[in-house]
Amino acid sequence: MDDRPPPDDDASGASETSESEPGRRRFVFPSALTVLVAVTVVVWALAFVIPSGSYRRTPDGNPVQGTYHREAAPGDFVHRLGELFLAPVNGLYGIRDPRTGQVAPDAAGTLYGSAGVFLFVLAIGAFITVVFATGALDRGIERLAHRLRARGALLIAGVMTVFSLLGTVEGFAEETLGFYGLIVPLMLALGYDRMVATGAIILGAGVGVLASTVNPFATGVASSAADVSLGDGIALRFAMWLVLTGVTIAYVLWYAHRVRAHPDRSLVGFLPGDRELAAASAEPPALTGLHRTVLALVTAVFLFMIFSVIPWASALTGRADAKPYGWELGWSFAQLAALFLTAALLVGIVARLGERRLSAVVVQGAADFLAPALTIVLARGVTVIMNNARITDTVLHSIESAVTGTAASVFGVMVFVVNLPLAFLIPSTSGHATLAMPILAPLADFAGVSRAVVVTAWQAASGWMNLWVPTTAVVVGGVSLAKVGYDRYLRFVWPLLAVLAVLICGFVAFGAVAT
């Protein structure tokens, strides 16, 4: 997941590359915020060229297939310039006028901006930061790794399962950079090479994010932008998580067994002192009662979040129009933001962080997650520009014919494939989702496919790319910390990427047909 605060330069390996090539300026891929600012300006300019038009809408606001017609966009050049100026503001709290369809910060109507998702990201950022401030999660993973240190296959499977579980529920990715100093020596002590440690860490967390079930930064933001519940499609995503995690663990175990049996077949070899390095790995301190309590609270919070967002009546009956049970909560981002703020306060009190430190950690956590929150706002601002210039429906109409008559299974695979280059160009999962979903979701309606399948296909494309692209700190920082060449990592991971791509296409095709 690329929305977390980036690590220091020395962790990502950037400084090392610069020193190895003195006098040469290394190209650095722009940040998600920079990319989205550029996209905003480009889309604003294209709005003068692309013909404007609109569809007739249902009472729910969904476009009616076959009703597109040309319709002039309001305002002159000065008005359009004002739209560009106000794009970030409209992206946060723009109001859509139900009569004209125009979005403005001072209009009367329904909220079109992403203020709810913006606050939710800050809230969960505060919660995660408070949890890490207690040291419970780090200590728990360290204890698991040390306890399984004498059983290599179980150690690999255990670490990858925990990382994948954290990835699928909360986007655990950049946090893995802190575990190389522990996992690498343990793997070397068991006769494995550094690539085994690298694969266990990057792929373990990465496949969890790829198959996110309720990951707020991927599934949550995409579901909001697609106007569906976070719980819609969770059964398909859970099945995908189980299968893809199992396949990924099996692949790393296969390579690990081969390397231990035949060290000469290692893709990276062994550095001087690798065998001796393992002796430095000391047993971490035991979990305290406080740590166990915090871990239990974190587990309870995420389980409750899952319970609160699942449309249980639809899930258990198989009918999309099923009447919700009386005990269903049907929570959305407003309630979830309040949940995580309350949970952050509760964890801080239980961990006895104290008023001053707890306040500081909450503020710091929200600040650390301000970048992904802003990408959501900027991406929504692009959507507002397209809406007010009335070119969103024109884009939909231009590909309506391609979707019409397309088999549902083919459509699901198309969504996955189309989003692969977009995931590279827009490295922020939140920004990518907010930008793409307003177009992809209505296309699902035209193809007769559930919007939840589109969300699943989109996040799989984003997660698949983030397993290998050099624009993510998780990959670049990970190979640098493990002292593994990026080219060697690509050679190691490409067979797995091919297998995962085939499985993903199978899952989204099945999900599209089954809905």
Side-chain angles (χ1 to χ4, degrees), residues 451-488:
R451 292 188 174 198
V453 175
V454 174
V455 171
T456 301
W458 163 82
Q459 71 179 33
S462 177
W464 187 86
M465 290 293 286
N466 284 334
L467 290 177
W468 66 273
V469 293
T471 54
T472 168
V474 176
V475 173
V476 177
V479 297
S480 175
L481 289 169
K483 298 181 180 178
V484 168
Y486 177 68
D487 60 327
R488 292 288 162 175

PDB file of all heavy atoms in Angstrom, residues 451-488:
ATOM      1  N   ARG A 451     -20.907  -3.568  -8.794  1.00  0.00           N
ATOM      2  CA  ARG A 451     -19.832  -2.600  -8.583  1.00  0.00           C
ATOM      3  C   ARG A 451     -18.780  -3.133  -7.614  1.00  0.00           C
ATOM      4  O   ARG A 451     -17.617  -2.731  -7.683  1.00  0.00           O
ATOM      5  CB  ARG A 451     -20.412  -1.287  -8.055  1.00  0.00           C
ATOM      6  CG  ARG A 451     -21.270  -0.547  -9.065  1.00  0.00           C
ATOM      7  CD  ARG A 451     -21.668   0.837  -8.571  1.00  0.00           C
ATOM      8  NE  ARG A 451     -22.376   1.586  -9.590  1.00  0.00           N
ATOM      9  CZ  ARG A 451     -22.536   2.910  -9.582  1.00  0.00           C
ATOM     10  NH1 ARG A 451     -22.037   3.608  -8.565  1.00  0.00           N
ATOM     11  NH2 ARG A 451     -23.182   3.524 -10.539  1.00  0.00           N
ATOM     12  N   ALA A 452     -19.178  -4.025  -6.712  1.00  0.00           N
ATOM     13  CA  ALA A 452     -18.222  -4.609  -5.772  1.00  0.00           C
ATOM     14  C   ALA A 452     -17.155  -5.421  -6.508  1.00  0.00           C
ATOM     15  O   ALA A 452     -16.003  -5.476  -6.074  1.00  0.00           O
ATOM     16  CB  ALA A 452     -18.949  -5.484  -4.760  1.00  0.00           C
ATOM     17  N   VAL A 453     -17.521  -6.047  -7.629  1.00  0.00           N
ATOM     18  CA  VAL A 453     -16.537  -6.784  -8.421  1.00  0.00           C
ATOM     19  C   VAL A 453     -15.528  -5.830  -9.036  1.00  0.00           C
ATOM     20  O   VAL A 453     -14.330  -6.133  -9.131  1.00  0.00           O
ATOM     21  CB  VAL A 453     -17.248  -7.616  -9.513  1.00  0.00           C
ATOM     22  CG1 VAL A 453     -16.230  -8.287 -10.427  1.00  0.00           C
ATOM     23  CG2 VAL A 453     -18.148  -8.659  -8.877  1.00  0.00           C
ATOM     24  N   VAL A 454     -15.992  -4.660  -9.452  1.00  0.00           N
ATOM     25  CA  VAL A 454     -15.086  -3.647  -9.993  1.00  0.00           C
ATOM     26  C   VAL A 454     -14.093  -3.203  -8.926  1.00  0.00           C
ATOM     27  O   VAL A 454     -12.902  -3.027  -9.201  1.00  0.00           O
ATOM     28  CB  VAL A 454     -15.881  -2.447 -10.538  1.00  0.00           C
ATOM     29  CG1 VAL A 454     -14.948  -1.327 -10.975  1.00  0.00           C
ATOM     30  CG2 VAL A 454     -16.756  -2.879 -11.702  1.00  0.00           C
ATOM     31  N   VAL A 455     -14.580  -3.017  -7.711  1.00  0.00           N
ATOM     32  CA  VAL A 455     -13.693  -2.654  -6.601  1.00  0.00           C
ATOM     33  C   VAL A 455     -12.632  -3.732  -6.399  1.00  0.00           C
ATOM     34  O   VAL A 455     -11.443  -3.439  -6.240  1.00  0.00           O
ATOM     35  CB  VAL A 455     -14.502  -2.440  -5.306  1.00  0.00           C
ATOM     36  CG1 VAL A 455     -13.574  -2.280  -4.098  1.00  0.00           C
ATOM     37  CG2 VAL A 455     -15.402  -1.219  -5.430  1.00  0.00           C
ATOM     38  N   THR A 456     -13.044  -4.984  -6.421  1.00  0.00           N
ATOM     39  CA  THR A 456     -12.109  -6.095  -6.222  1.00  0.00           C
ATOM     40  C   THR A 456     -11.088  -6.157  -7.339  1.00  0.00           C
ATOM     41  O   THR A 456      -9.884  -6.340  -7.097  1.00  0.00           O
ATOM     42  CB  THR A 456     -12.875  -7.429  -6.136  1.00  0.00           C
ATOM     43  OG1 THR A 456     -13.805  -7.379  -5.051  1.00  0.00           O
ATOM     44  CG2 THR A 456     -11.923  -8.593  -5.921  1.00  0.00           C
ATOM     45  N   ALA A 457     -11.538  -6.014  -8.592  1.00  0.00           N
ATOM     46  CA  ALA A 457     -10.616  -6.052  -9.732  1.00  0.00           C
ATOM     47  C   ALA A 457      -9.643  -4.883  -9.683  1.00  0.00           C
ATOM     48  O   ALA A 457      -8.447  -5.039  -9.969  1.00  0.00           O
ATOM     49  CB  ALA A 457     -11.401  -6.034 -11.046  1.00  0.00           C
ATOM     50  N   TRP A 458     -10.145  -3.705  -9.301  1.00  0.00           N
ATOM     51  CA  TRP A 458      -9.262  -2.535  -9.212  1.00  0.00           C
ATOM     52  C   TRP A 458      -8.182  -2.732  -8.161  1.00  0.00           C
ATOM     53  O   TRP A 458      -6.999  -2.498  -8.411  1.00  0.00           O
ATOM     54  CB  TRP A 458     -10.085  -1.282  -8.861  1.00  0.00           C
ATOM     55  CG  TRP A 458      -9.194  -0.196  -8.378  1.00  0.00           C
ATOM     56  CD1 TRP A 458      -8.476   0.675  -9.135  1.00  0.00           C
ATOM     57  CD2 TRP A 458      -8.836   0.069  -7.017  1.00  0.00           C
ATOM     58  NE1 TRP A 458      -7.701   1.481  -8.325  1.00  0.00           N
ATOM     59  CE2 TRP A 458      -7.903   1.124  -7.033  1.00  0.00           C
ATOM     60  CE3 TRP A 458      -9.212  -0.496  -5.801  1.00  0.00           C
ATOM     61  CZ2 TRP A 458      -7.344   1.636  -5.859  1.00  0.00           C
ATOM     62  CZ3 TRP A 458      -8.660   0.019  -4.644  1.00  0.00           C
ATOM     63  CH2 TRP A 458      -7.751   1.080  -4.679  1.00  0.00           C
ATOM     64  N   GLN A 459      -8.573  -3.165  -6.956  1.00  0.00           N
ATOM     65  CA  GLN A 459      -7.584  -3.270  -5.887  1.00  0.00           C
ATOM     66  C   GLN A 459      -6.589  -4.386  -6.176  1.00  0.00           C
ATOM     67  O   GLN A 459      -5.427  -4.307  -5.772  1.00  0.00           O
ATOM     68  CB  GLN A 459      -8.264  -3.502  -4.541  1.00  0.00           C
ATOM     69  CG  GLN A 459      -8.879  -4.881  -4.358  1.00  0.00           C
ATOM     70  CD  GLN A 459      -9.516  -5.044  -2.985  1.00  0.00           C
ATOM     71  OE1 GLN A 459     -10.043  -4.095  -2.417  1.00  0.00           O
ATOM     72  NE2 GLN A 459      -9.470  -6.248  -2.455  1.00  0.00           N
ATOM     73  N   ALA A 460      -7.027  -5.433  -6.875  1.00  0.00           N
ATOM     74  CA  ALA A 460      -6.104  -6.503  -7.246  1.00  0.00           C
ATOM     75  C   ALA A 460      -5.047  -5.983  -8.211  1.00  0.00           C
ATOM     76  O   ALA A 460      -3.872  -6.337  -8.105  1.00  0.00           O
ATOM     77  CB  ALA A 460      -6.877  -7.664  -7.869  1.00  0.00           C
ATOM     78  N   ALA A 461      -5.452  -5.131  -9.145  1.00  0.00           N
ATOM     79  CA  ALA A 461      -4.489  -4.550 -10.082  1.00  0.00           C
ATOM     80  C   ALA A 461      -3.484  -3.663  -9.349  1.00  0.00           C
ATOM     81  O   ALA A 461      -2.273  -3.732  -9.584  1.00  0.00           O
ATOM     82  CB  ALA A 461      -5.221  -3.739 -11.154  1.00  0.00           C
ATOM     83  N   SER A 462      -3.993  -2.834  -8.451  1.00  0.00           N
ATOM     84  CA  SER A 462      -3.110  -1.964  -7.677  1.00  0.00           C
ATOM     85  C   SER A 462      -2.152  -2.778  -6.820  1.00  0.00           C
ATOM     86  O   SER A 462      -0.946  -2.515  -6.780  1.00  0.00           O
ATOM     87  CB  SER A 462      -3.952  -1.036  -6.797  1.00  0.00           C
ATOM     88  OG  SER A 462      -3.150  -0.225  -5.977  1.00  0.00           O
ATOM     89  N   GLY A 463      -2.667  -3.797  -6.126  1.00  0.00           N
ATOM     90  CA  GLY A 463      -1.829  -4.626  -5.267  1.00  0.00           C
ATOM     91  C   GLY A 463      -0.832  -5.447  -6.043  1.00  0.00           C
ATOM     92  O   GLY A 463       0.316  -5.628  -5.615  1.00  0.00           O
ATOM     93  N   TRP A 464      -1.217  -5.964  -7.208  1.00  0.00           N
ATOM     94  CA  TRP A 464      -0.309  -6.758  -8.043  1.00  0.00           C
ATOM     95  C   TRP A 464       0.872  -5.916  -8.505  1.00  0.00           C
ATOM     96  O   TRP A 464       2.022  -6.362  -8.462  1.00  0.00           O
ATOM     97  CB  TRP A 464      -1.080  -7.310  -9.241  1.00  0.00           C
ATOM     98  CG  TRP A 464      -0.319  -8.285 -10.092  1.00  0.00           C
ATOM     99  CD1 TRP A 464      -0.210  -9.629  -9.903  1.00  0.00           C
ATOM    100  CD2 TRP A 464       0.435  -7.991 -11.273  1.00  0.00           C
ATOM    101  NE1 TRP A 464       0.561 -10.192 -10.897  1.00  0.00           N
ATOM    102  CE2 TRP A 464       0.968  -9.217 -11.750  1.00  0.00           C
ATOM    103  CE3 TRP A 464       0.719  -6.822 -11.983  1.00  0.00           C
ATOM    104  CZ2 TRP A 464       1.758  -9.298 -12.898  1.00  0.00           C
ATOM    105  CZ3 TRP A 464       1.503  -6.891 -13.130  1.00  0.00           C
ATOM    106  CH2 TRP A 464       2.005  -8.116 -13.566  1.00  0.00           C
ATOM    107  N   MET A 465       0.601  -4.695  -8.932  1.00  0.00           N
ATOM    108  CA  MET A 465       1.683  -3.810  -9.374  1.00  0.00           C
ATOM    109  C   MET A 465       2.622  -3.480  -8.220  1.00  0.00           C
ATOM    110  O   MET A 465       3.849  -3.436  -8.383  1.00  0.00           O
ATOM    111  CB  MET A 465       1.104  -2.526  -9.952  1.00  0.00           C
ATOM    112  CG  MET A 465       0.389  -2.702 -11.275  1.00  0.00           C
ATOM    113  SD  MET A 465       1.488  -3.165 -12.634  1.00  0.00           S
ATOM    114  CE  MET A 465       2.333  -1.607 -12.935  1.00  0.00           C
ATOM    115  N   ASN A 466       2.065  -3.281  -7.037  1.00  0.00           N
ATOM    116  CA  ASN A 466       2.885  -2.879  -5.897  1.00  0.00           C
ATOM    117  C   ASN A 466       3.735  -4.007  -5.329  1.00  0.00           C
ATOM    118  O   ASN A 466       4.508  -3.790  -4.392  1.00  0.00           O
ATOM    119  CB  ASN A 466       1.996  -2.293  -4.790  1.00  0.00           C
ATOM    120  CG  ASN A 466       1.541  -0.889  -5.106  1.00  0.00           C
ATOM    121  OD1 ASN A 466       2.206  -0.162  -5.839  1.00  0.00           O
ATOM    122  ND2 ASN A 466       0.402  -0.501  -4.576  1.00  0.00           N
ATOM    123  N   LEU A 467       3.620  -5.210  -5.900  1.00  0.00           N
ATOM    124  CA  LEU A 467       4.513  -6.295  -5.506  1.00  0.00           C
ATOM    125  C   LEU A 467       5.880  -6.175  -6.164  1.00  0.00           C
ATOM    126  O   LEU A 467       6.829  -6.830  -5.742  1.00  0.00           O
ATOM    127  CB  LEU A 467       3.901  -7.651  -5.882  1.00  0.00           C
ATOM    128  CG  LEU A 467       2.675  -8.112  -5.087  1.00  0.00           C
ATOM    129  CD1 LEU A 467       2.163  -9.432  -5.638  1.00  0.00           C
ATOM    130  CD2 LEU A 467       3.014  -8.247  -3.603  1.00  0.00           C
ATOM    131  N   TRP A 468       5.998  -5.327  -7.189  1.00  0.00           N
ATOM    132  CA  TRP A 468       7.271  -5.297  -7.922  1.00  0.00           C
ATOM    133  C   TRP A 468       7.702  -3.930  -8.448  1.00  0.00           C
ATOM    134  O   TRP A 468       8.892  -3.725  -8.718  1.00  0.00           O
ATOM    135  CB  TRP A 468       7.211  -6.270  -9.103  1.00  0.00           C
ATOM    136  CG  TRP A 468       6.228  -5.887 -10.178  1.00  0.00           C
ATOM    137  CD1 TRP A 468       4.907  -6.205 -10.228  1.00  0.00           C
ATOM    138  CD2 TRP A 468       6.487  -5.088 -11.338  1.00  0.00           C
ATOM    139  NE1 TRP A 468       4.320  -5.673 -11.346  1.00  0.00           N
ATOM    140  CE2 TRP A 468       5.271  -4.990 -12.056  1.00  0.00           C
ATOM    141  CE3 TRP A 468       7.630  -4.469 -11.852  1.00  0.00           C
ATOM    142  CZ2 TRP A 468       5.165  -4.269 -13.248  1.00  0.00           C
ATOM    143  CZ3 TRP A 468       7.521  -3.755 -13.053  1.00  0.00           C
ATOM    144  CH2 TRP A 468       6.302  -3.668 -13.733  1.00  0.00           C
ATOM    145  N   VAL A 469       6.794  -2.970  -8.601  1.00  0.00           N
ATOM    146  CA  VAL A 469       7.192  -1.710  -9.237  1.00  0.00           C
ATOM    147  C   VAL A 469       8.205  -0.963  -8.373  1.00  0.00           C
ATOM    148  O   VAL A 469       8.114  -0.967  -7.143  1.00  0.00           O
ATOM    149  CB  VAL A 469       5.971  -0.805  -9.516  1.00  0.00           C
ATOM    150  CG1 VAL A 469       5.073  -1.413 -10.567  1.00  0.00           C
ATOM    151  CG2 VAL A 469       5.193  -0.532  -8.247  1.00  0.00           C
ATOM    152  N   PRO A 470       9.187  -0.299  -8.997  1.00  0.00           N
ATOM    153  CA  PRO A 470      10.225   0.409  -8.235  1.00  0.00           C
ATOM    154  C   PRO A 470       9.767   1.750  -7.682  1.00  0.00           C
ATOM    155  O   PRO A 470      10.563   2.476  -7.091  1.00  0.00           O
ATOM    156  CB  PRO A 470      11.336   0.609  -9.273  1.00  0.00           C
ATOM    157  CG  PRO A 470      10.611   0.679 -10.582  1.00  0.00           C
ATOM    158  CD  PRO A 470       9.446  -0.269 -10.457  1.00  0.00           C
ATOM    159  N   THR A 471       8.495   2.107  -7.872  1.00  0.00           N
ATOM    160  CA  THR A 471       7.993   3.384  -7.350  1.00  0.00           C
ATOM    161  C   THR A 471       7.444   3.256  -5.935  1.00  0.00           C
ATOM    162  O   THR A 471       6.996   4.245  -5.361  1.00  0.00           O
ATOM    163  CB  THR A 471       6.882   3.934  -8.271  1.00  0.00           C
ATOM    164  OG1 THR A 471       5.872   2.929  -8.426  1.00  0.00           O
ATOM    165  CG2 THR A 471       7.443   4.291  -9.632  1.00  0.00           C
ATOM    166  N   THR A 472       7.459   2.050  -5.376  1.00  0.00           N
ATOM    167  CA  THR A 472       6.952   1.873  -4.020  1.00  0.00           C
ATOM    168  C   THR A 472       8.101   1.656  -3.045  1.00  0.00           C
ATOM    169  O   THR A 472       9.029   0.883  -3.319  1.00  0.00           O
ATOM    170  CB  THR A 472       5.968   0.683  -3.932  1.00  0.00           C
ATOM    171  OG1 THR A 472       5.710   0.378  -2.567  1.00  0.00           O
ATOM    172  CG2 THR A 472       6.533  -0.557  -4.611  1.00  0.00           C
ATOM    173  N   ALA A 473       8.043   2.332  -1.914  1.00  0.00           N
ATOM    174  CA  ALA A 473       9.107   2.245  -0.914  1.00  0.00           C
ATOM    175  C   ALA A 473       9.189   0.855  -0.305  1.00  0.00           C
ATOM    176  O   ALA A 473      10.246   0.442   0.172  1.00  0.00           O
ATOM    177  CB  ALA A 473       8.874   3.277   0.185  1.00  0.00           C
ATOM    178  N   VAL A 474       8.087   0.117  -0.305  1.00  0.00           N
ATOM    179  CA  VAL A 474       8.091  -1.220   0.280  1.00  0.00           C
ATOM    180  C   VAL A 474       9.062  -2.132  -0.463  1.00  0.00           C
ATOM    181  O   VAL A 474       9.824  -2.878   0.141  1.00  0.00           O
ATOM    182  CB  VAL A 474       6.673  -1.824   0.260  1.00  0.00           C
ATOM    183  CG1 VAL A 474       6.689  -3.255   0.782  1.00  0.00           C
ATOM    184  CG2 VAL A 474       5.722  -0.972   1.089  1.00  0.00           C
ATOM    185  N   VAL A 475       9.041  -2.063  -1.791  1.00  0.00           N
ATOM    186  CA  VAL A 475       9.918  -2.913  -2.607  1.00  0.00           C
ATOM    187  C   VAL A 475      11.342  -2.376  -2.613  1.00  0.00           C
ATOM    188  O   VAL A 475      12.294  -3.095  -2.297  1.00  0.00           O
ATOM    189  CB  VAL A 475       9.373  -3.025  -4.047  1.00  0.00           C
ATOM    190  CG1 VAL A 475      10.383  -3.755  -4.938  1.00  0.00           C
ATOM    191  CG2 VAL A 475       8.041  -3.757  -4.051  1.00  0.00           C
ATOM    192  N   VAL A 476      11.505  -1.114  -2.961  1.00  0.00           N
ATOM    193  CA  VAL A 476      12.846  -0.541  -3.061  1.00  0.00           C
ATOM    194  C   VAL A 476      13.537  -0.526  -1.706  1.00  0.00           C
ATOM    195  O   VAL A 476      14.720  -0.879  -1.581  1.00  0.00           O
ATOM    196  CB  VAL A 476      12.778   0.885  -3.659  1.00  0.00           C
ATOM    197  CG1 VAL A 476      14.166   1.509  -3.693  1.00  0.00           C
ATOM    198  CG2 VAL A 476      12.195   0.848  -5.055  1.00  0.00           C
ATOM    199  N   GLY A 477      12.810  -0.110  -0.679  1.00  0.00           N
ATOM    200  CA  GLY A 477      13.390  -0.096   0.660  1.00  0.00           C
ATOM    201  C   GLY A 477      13.678  -1.495   1.161  1.00  0.00           C
ATOM    202  O   GLY A 477      14.694  -1.739   1.812  1.00  0.00           O
ATOM    203  N   GLY A 478      12.800  -2.444   0.856  1.00  0.00           N
ATOM    204  CA  GLY A 478      12.988  -3.809   1.318  1.00  0.00           C
ATOM    205  C   GLY A 478      14.214  -4.472   0.733  1.00  0.00           C
ATOM    206  O   GLY A 478      15.028  -5.059   1.457  1.00  0.00           O
ATOM    207  N   VAL A 479      14.400  -4.383  -0.583  1.00  0.00           N
ATOM    208  CA  VAL A 479      15.567  -5.026  -1.204  1.00  0.00           C
ATOM    209  C   VAL A 479      16.860  -4.354  -0.756  1.00  0.00           C
ATOM    210  O   VAL A 479      17.910  -4.998  -0.657  1.00  0.00           O
ATOM    211  CB  VAL A 479      15.450  -5.031  -2.744  1.00  0.00           C
ATOM    212  CG1 VAL A 479      14.247  -5.840  -3.190  1.00  0.00           C
ATOM    213  CG2 VAL A 479      15.388  -3.619  -3.314  1.00  0.00           C
ATOM    214  N   SER A 480      16.773  -3.046  -0.463  1.00  0.00           N
ATOM    215  CA  SER A 480      17.963  -2.347   0.014  1.00  0.00           C
ATOM    216  C   SER A 480      18.337  -2.813   1.420  1.00  0.00           C
ATOM    217  O   SER A 480      19.508  -3.094   1.705  1.00  0.00           O
ATOM    218  CB  SER A 480      17.720  -0.837   0.010  1.00  0.00           C
ATOM    219  OG  SER A 480      18.816  -0.139   0.569  1.00  0.00           O
ATOM    220  N   LEU A 481      17.357  -2.925   2.304  1.00  0.00           N
ATOM    221  CA  LEU A 481      17.634  -3.354   3.666  1.00  0.00           C
ATOM    222  C   LEU A 481      18.110  -4.802   3.719  1.00  0.00           C
ATOM    223  O   LEU A 481      18.941  -5.165   4.551  1.00  0.00           O
ATOM    224  CB  LEU A 481      16.377  -3.196   4.523  1.00  0.00           C
ATOM    225  CG  LEU A 481      15.974  -1.755   4.856  1.00  0.00           C
ATOM    226  CD1 LEU A 481      14.585  -1.724   5.465  1.00  0.00           C
ATOM    227  CD2 LEU A 481      16.980  -1.116   5.800  1.00  0.00           C
ATOM    228  N   ALA A 482      17.585  -5.631   2.831  1.00  0.00           N
ATOM    229  CA  ALA A 482      17.991  -7.037   2.805  1.00  0.00           C
ATOM    230  C   ALA A 482      19.283  -7.253   2.026  1.00  0.00           C
ATOM    231  O   ALA A 482      19.809  -8.364   2.010  1.00  0.00           O
ATOM    232  CB  ALA A 482      16.883  -7.884   2.190  1.00  0.00           C
ATOM    233  N   LYS A 483      19.777  -6.192   1.370  1.00  0.00           N
ATOM    234  CA  LYS A 483      20.986  -6.271   0.540  1.00  0.00           C
ATOM    235  C   LYS A 483      20.799  -7.278  -0.588  1.00  0.00           C
ATOM    236  O   LYS A 483      21.641  -8.146  -0.844  1.00  0.00           O
ATOM    237  CB  LYS A 483      22.220  -6.613   1.390  1.00  0.00           C
ATOM    238  CG  LYS A 483      22.532  -5.567   2.444  1.00  0.00           C
ATOM    239  CD  LYS A 483      23.775  -5.910   3.250  1.00  0.00           C
ATOM    240  CE  LYS A 483      24.046  -4.838   4.297  1.00  0.00           C
ATOM    241  NZ  LYS A 483      25.228  -5.162   5.135  1.00  0.00           N
ATOM    242  N   VAL A 484      19.666  -7.115  -1.257  1.00  0.00           N
ATOM    243  CA  VAL A 484      19.317  -7.952  -2.404  1.00  0.00           C
ATOM    244  C   VAL A 484      19.147  -7.029  -3.607  1.00  0.00           C
ATOM    245  O   VAL A 484      18.467  -6.002  -3.511  1.00  0.00           O
ATOM    246  CB  VAL A 484      17.998  -8.720  -2.133  1.00  0.00           C
ATOM    247  CG1 VAL A 484      17.472  -9.350  -3.411  1.00  0.00           C
ATOM    248  CG2 VAL A 484      18.219  -9.774  -1.075  1.00  0.00           C
ATOM    249  N   GLY A 485      19.732  -7.348  -4.726  1.00  0.00           N
ATOM    250  CA  GLY A 485      19.593  -6.525  -5.920  1.00  0.00           C
ATOM    251  C   GLY A 485      18.159  -6.517  -6.431  1.00  0.00           C
ATOM    252  O   GLY A 485      17.485  -7.555  -6.427  1.00  0.00           O
ATOM    253  N   TYR A 486      17.707  -5.351  -6.886  1.00  0.00           N
ATOM    254  CA  TYR A 486      16.344  -5.252  -7.403  1.00  0.00           C
ATOM    255  C   TYR A 486      16.149  -6.148  -8.620  1.00  0.00           C
ATOM    256  O   TYR A 486      15.089  -6.772  -8.777  1.00  0.00           O
ATOM    257  CB  TYR A 486      16.026  -3.793  -7.760  1.00  0.00           C
ATOM    258  CG  TYR A 486      14.663  -3.598  -8.380  1.00  0.00           C
ATOM    259  CD1 TYR A 486      13.500  -3.792  -7.639  1.00  0.00           C
ATOM    260  CD2 TYR A 486      14.536  -3.236  -9.728  1.00  0.00           C
ATOM    261  CE1 TYR A 486      12.247  -3.625  -8.213  1.00  0.00           C
ATOM    262  CE2 TYR A 486      13.289  -3.060 -10.304  1.00  0.00           C
ATOM    263  CZ  TYR A 486      12.150  -3.258  -9.552  1.00  0.00           C
ATOM    264  OH  TYR A 486      10.919  -3.103 -10.124  1.00  0.00           O
ATOM    265  N   ASP A 487      17.164  -6.238  -9.478  1.00  0.00           N
ATOM    266  CA  ASP A 487      17.051  -7.100 -10.650  1.00  0.00           C
ATOM    267  C   ASP A 487      16.904  -8.565 -10.240  1.00  0.00           C
ATOM    268  O   ASP A 487      16.177  -9.337 -10.865  1.00  0.00           O
ATOM    269  CB  ASP A 487      18.256  -6.917 -11.571  1.00  0.00           C
ATOM    270  CG  ASP A 487      19.572  -7.252 -10.881  1.00  0.00           C
ATOM    271  OD1 ASP A 487      19.684  -7.022  -9.653  1.00  0.00           O
ATOM    272  OD2 ASP A 487      20.495  -7.740 -11.555  1.00  0.00           O
ATOM    273  N   ARG A 488      17.609  -8.951  -9.162  1.00  0.00           N
ATOM    274  CA  ARG A 488      17.494 -10.330  -8.675  1.00  0.00           C
ATOM    275  C   ARG A 488      16.106 -10.582  -8.078  1.00  0.00           C
ATOM    276  O   ARG A 488      15.546 -11.673  -8.212  1.00  0.00           O
ATOM    277  CB  ARG A 488      18.567 -10.597  -7.626  1.00  0.00           C
ATOM    278  CG  ARG A 488      19.970 -10.599  -8.204  1.00  0.00           C
ATOM    279  CD  ARG A 488      20.186 -11.834  -9.037  1.00  0.00           C
ATOM    280  NE  ARG A 488      21.318 -11.706  -9.931  1.00  0.00           N
ATOM    281  CZ  ARG A 488      21.768 -12.698 -10.705  1.00  0.00           C
ATOM    282  NH1 ARG A 488      21.156 -13.867 -10.674  1.00  0.00           N
ATOM    283  NH2 ARG A 488      22.775 -12.513 -11.520  1.00  0.00           N
TER     284      ARG A 488
END
